[in-house]
Amino acid sequence: MTRRCVCPGSYDPVTLGHVDAIRRAASLFDEVVVAVLHNPAKQGVFTPDERRALIEDALGDLPGVSVEVFGGRLLVDVCREVGADVVVKGLRSDTDFAYELPMALMNRHLTGVETVFLPGEPSLAHVSSSLVKEVARYGGDVSGLVTDRVRDELAARLTPR
């Protein structure tokens, strides 16, 4: 029996914290579906397809990992569609846990989907997509927080001229 999980997120952009959590999930499960969840009501820096490409670039060497874009549906429906009964979420802090726990309980209530929380790499605990975008927007160096390709793409889009 194949053990399949979903690693959901907006990934706008994918950070090294995301990459760490996905790599660790890949060591625990046979297949990992990285679900780029897109809310059409929100404008991101990258399109969903660009996010998928950036994630694939960061994780291209990992067997059993696929990246798919999903919009306008519940995470439990995504899990059902891809045949996963586990969601994997990386946690940076107790604040992340407090935010994620009610969603995990609701997902289990709705369909029985379980959530596995992976503690984040401590050296990346301060890294979030929002902070990375803010630093890049004002010309700061985000090296070591994202892949080189993401850093370059952010600089091209957000750095003041």
Side-chain angles (χ1 to χ4, degrees):
M1 186 164 115
T2 300
R3 297 172 304 152
R4 182 177 299 123
C5 72
V6 170
C7 291
S10 61
Y11 300 106
D12 187 39
V14 63
T15 69
L16 293 183
H18 293 130
V19 170
D20 172 64
I22 295 164
R23 285 186 179 283
R24 291 170 50 218
S27 73
L28 299 170
F29 292 87
D30 302 314
E31 295 179 6
V32 175
V33 177
V34 180
V36 178
L37 302 177
H38 170 61
N39 180 345
K42 290 186 176 181
Q43 178 66 30
V45 172
F46 297 103
T47 68
D49 287 332
E50 289 169 332
R51 295 175 207 175
R52 178 179 53 218
L54 292 169
I55 296 166
E56 288 172 344
D57 182 67
L59 297 167
D61 62 323
L62 272 183
V65 175
S66 62
V67 185
E68 298 183 39
V69 174
F70 298 93
R73 62 188 105 162
L74 294 172
L75 176 57
V76 292
D77 294 331
V78 170
C79 290
R80 187 178 302 120
E81 183 176 324
V82 301
D85 54 6
V86 176
V87 170
V88 174
K89 297 289 290 188
L91 299 178
R92 295 168 296 177
S93 67
D94 58 342
T95 305
D96 283 353
F97 181 74
Y99 177 79
E100 295 291 345
L101 182 60
M103 289 187 286
L105 294 172
M106 181 59 76
N107 290 338
R108 187 173 68 196
H109 170 80
L110 290 172
T111 63
V113 168
E114 291 289 355
T115 301
V116 172
F117 295 118
L118 294 178
E121 167 58 42
S123 65
L124 299 171
H126 61 291
V127 180
S128 71
S129 295
S130 298
L131 283 175
V132 164
K133 287 184 286 194
E134 185 172 347
V135 170
R137 186 170 283 115
Y138 292 104
D141 184 9
V142 295
S143 298
L145 309 176
V146 295
T147 65
D148 291 346
R149 180 172 172 199
V150 170
R151 179 200 61 216
D152 295 346
E153 294 284 339
L154 282 169
R157 289 173 193 232
L158 297 178
T159 302
R161 307 265 181 235

